[in-house]
Amino acid sequence: KKTINQLMAEELVIGLAVRKDLRIFASQNPDLRGKKVTDIDGIAADLFDFGNPRERILKPEGHLISVAPIFHPGQSEPRVFVYFKVRTSAAETEKAAIKKLFFMGSLAAVLLTTFIIVASFRLAVFNRITGLLNVLSAVAKGNFSVRAKPGKNPDEIGILQEGINLMVTNLHELVGNLEQKVQERTAELEENQDRFAALLESAPDAMVVSNINGDITLVNSQTERLFGYDRAELLGNSVELLVPESKRENHPSYRKQFLENVNIRQMGAAGMELFAQAKNGTLIPVDISLSPIKSKTDMLVVASIRDITERKRVEADIKKLSTAVEQSPVSVVITDLEGTIEYVNPRFCEVTGYTVDEAIGQNPRILKSEQQSTELHEELWKTITEAKEWRGKFLNTTKNGHLYWES
């Protein structure tokens, strides 16, 4: 006895299931699947007339061919055409040959129909899963209006569809909440940035904000006035632009040292003068204070730059005055409002015999002689404590008791 597979192999030349586009949907030869039926020699396209479907039996020499449409229930147009070609011998009668063809065709039709049903089921499942993937793809692109179409039967895929629809609904709500929070946070950040910019703008000193690369990201109006640059000329430029040319080469290494040990600091060593350079090349004496502003992802450095040109001028004047007092040919004594001596010049020490350390902290009464009236000293102190000028002569005594007149 021969098996069905052996019988099919011996007698069946070719078996095909052909779709409307004339592509081979199924065949006993896997290599033919997906090809055009017109690509096979000896098979005419007009055998597969989906507009006028009918069964046909052809009798080429040594073979019998059966072409038949297969319908889905309730449909007028066939799903596919099945095509079978079987061998026949010269000894076989036409009736026997047709019987063989009927048997082989029926057997192959059953197998192909089974294949088509399974393939159709797989296609239906594939289409439903493809629909789910399309929903997820749309959601990934931000389209939350899509939903998976529920199936007719509550099978596993239908349950999955309901779950995905619920997930999309919840995700839409979650994204909406997140978007609202992002908007609120963005508004808060913008408000904080505006406040920071306003504080920076209202500062009396030049304020320069730079990133860790030394690029200027923010400046205030005082910076423009001090250095003579427009804001647009400074933003995005390096802070070295404001450093004197003689110091620019080494300045990046100083910035690196600061970033390695970040803290609020006053720039410049004790007694060292700092200068900045304006657009016109003028060197400006400055005091500089650096303050780091850290975030989770970045760090900014705020430099407060104060022009001390006026202060340096006053200091120079004070130095001149101090030199004049130090070198004065007359005694100079400075006291506080309580009459305690805070300063004496060298001439005072020469005249009175007291050293600076001996005089500081004492009261001028140490110079009062017994021959000088108390009323005169009282008048003197009453006048100067009233912020008035006193003029007059009085007799004082030195450290060793010698008397001398002063006016």
Side-chain angles (χ1 to χ4, degrees):
K1 295 182 180 180
K2 296 183 179 180
T3 65
I4 291 176
N5 288 338
Q6 288 173 334
L7 186 61
M8 293 283 289
E10 291 176 1
E11 304 295 342
L12 182 63
V13 177
I14 187 170
L16 307 172
V18 181
R19 297 185 308 202
K20 189 175 182 179
D21 59 2
L22 298 185
R23 291 195 178 274
I24 298 171
F25 179 64
S27 174
Q28 92 284 11
N29 183 356
D31 294 336
L32 297 178
R33 294 173 190 167
K35 292 185 176 181
K36 282 273 192 177
V37 71
T38 52
D39 294 337
I40 301 175
D41 293 337
I43 301 179
D46 58 4
L47 294 175
F48 311 97
D49 188 355
F50 282 80
N52 184 24
R54 58 193 177 93
E55 296 182 6
R56 301 184 189 185
I57 296 179
L58 307 176
K59 306 173 190 176
E61 185 178 353
H63 297 86
L64 281 177
I65 297 174
S66 173
V67 182
I70 295 179
F71 296 86
H72 274 300
Q75 293 186 352
S76 60
E77 185 177 278
R79 171 72 172 174
V80 294
F81 269 89
V82 291
Y83 174 98
F84 301 104
K85 184 177 183 180
V86 298
R87 297 181 184 89
T88 60
S89 65
E92 286 181 307
T93 65
E94 181 176 332
K95 183 177 180 181
I98 293 176
K99 185 177 180 181
K100 179 195 287 188
L101 176 63
F102 177 77
F103 171 73
M104 296 297 294
S106 298
L107 182 58
V110 170
L111 295 176
L112 284 173
T113 301
T114 302
F115 176 81
I116 291 170
I117 292 172
V118 172
S120 298
F121 174 75
R122 290 182 177 176
L123 181 61
V125 172
F126 175 78
N127 289 338
R128 294 172 72 186
I129 292 176
T130 300
L132 293 178
L133 293 176
N134 290 337
V135 170
L136 295 177
S137 177
V139 170
K141 295 177 182 177
N143 182 5
F144 295 98
S145 63
V146 296
R147 294 292 186 277
K149 294 181 180 180
K152 296 179 180 179
N153 300 318
D155 55 5
E156 287 82 354
I157 295 180
I159 295 173
L160 181 60
Q161 288 173 324
E162 292 179 1
I164 287 179
N165 287 341
L166 179 61
M167 180 198 71
V168 173
T169 299
N170 293 338
L171 187 60
H172 188 194
E173 182 178 351
L174 177 61
V175 169
N177 292 337
L178 287 176
E179 287 178 347
Q180 182 178 355
K181 289 182 179 179
V182 168
Q183 290 175 356
E184 292 174 354
R185 181 58 177 159
T186 301
E188 182 180 346
L189 288 174
E190 290 176 350
E191 183 179 356
N192 289 338
Q193 288 176 345
D194 291 342
R195 289 177 180 175
F196 179 70
L199 287 173
L200 211 65
E201 195 64 30
S202 63
D205 299 326
M207 305 295 289
V208 178
V209 182
S210 61
N211 58 26
I212 58 175
N213 297 319
D215 300 323
I216 298 173
T217 60
L218 195 63
V219 297
N220 64 352
S221 299
Q222 293 290 354
T223 305
E224 295 179 280
R225 283 191 285 270
L226 178 61
F227 292 98
Y229 288 102
D230 291 333
R231 196 164 304 206
E233 295 178 278
L234 294 171
L235 296 181
N237 220 320
S238 172
V239 291
E240 273 74 46
L241 180 67
L242 307 179
V243 176
E245 291 183 8
S246 60
K247 305 291 184 181
R248 285 179 187 174
E249 183 177 354
N250 296 325
H251 192 261
S253 64
Y254 298 149
R255 285 196 292 103
K256 183 179 179 182
Q257 291 175 14
F258 173 78
L259 294 173
E260 290 173 350
N261 183 24
V262 176
N263 52 55
I264 298 175
R265 68 176 69 173
Q266 194 77 17
M267 297 304 296
M272 185 179 79
E273 293 184 332
L274 293 177
F275 290 89
Q277 183 168 308
K279 183 177 181 179
N280 61 8
T282 301
L283 296 182
I284 307 168
V286 292
D287 276 344
I288 301 176
S289 178
L290 300 180
S291 303
I293 300 178
K294 296 181 181 180
S295 68
K296 292 182 179 180
T297 58
D298 197 7
M299 184 179 73
L300 299 175
V301 179
V302 180
S304 175
I305 306 172
R306 175 169 295 178
D307 180 4
I308 59 171
T309 302
E310 181 63 20
R311 191 180 81 187
K312 298 291 286 184
R313 186 191 64 77
V314 172
E315 288 175 352
D317 290 344
I318 292 174
K319 187 175 181 180
K320 291 178 183 177
L321 178 62
S322 175
T323 301
V325 171
E326 287 283 315
Q327 299 176 0
S328 175
V330 297
S331 298
V332 177
V333 179
I334 299 176
T335 70
D336 62 16
L337 293 177
E338 303 298 325
T340 303
I341 297 174
E342 294 182 341
Y343 171 83
V344 294
N345 69 344
R347 180 60 178 166
F348 172 88
C349 296
E350 292 175 9
V351 172
T352 65
Y354 289 100
T355 66
V356 173
D357 291 338
E358 290 173 331
I360 298 299
Q362 297 292 334
N363 189 283
R365 284 192 297 269
I366 60 173
L367 303 176
K368 180 178 178 297
S369 69
E370 296 295 331
Q371 299 180 24
Q372 186 69 59
S373 66
T374 302
E375 290 79 6
L376 181 64
H377 276 273
E378 290 177 351
E379 179 189 351
L380 182 152
W381 283 106
K382 181 177 182 298
T383 301
I384 62 177
T385 54
E386 292 175 353
K388 298 177 181 179
E389 182 180 348
W390 183 88
R391 290 178 179 271
K393 293 183 179 182
F394 47 85
L395 186 64
N396 281 341
T397 183
T398 65
K399 179 180 178 181
N400 58 14
H402 293 147
L403 297 174
Y404 69 96
W405 285 94
E406 279 192 313
S407 60

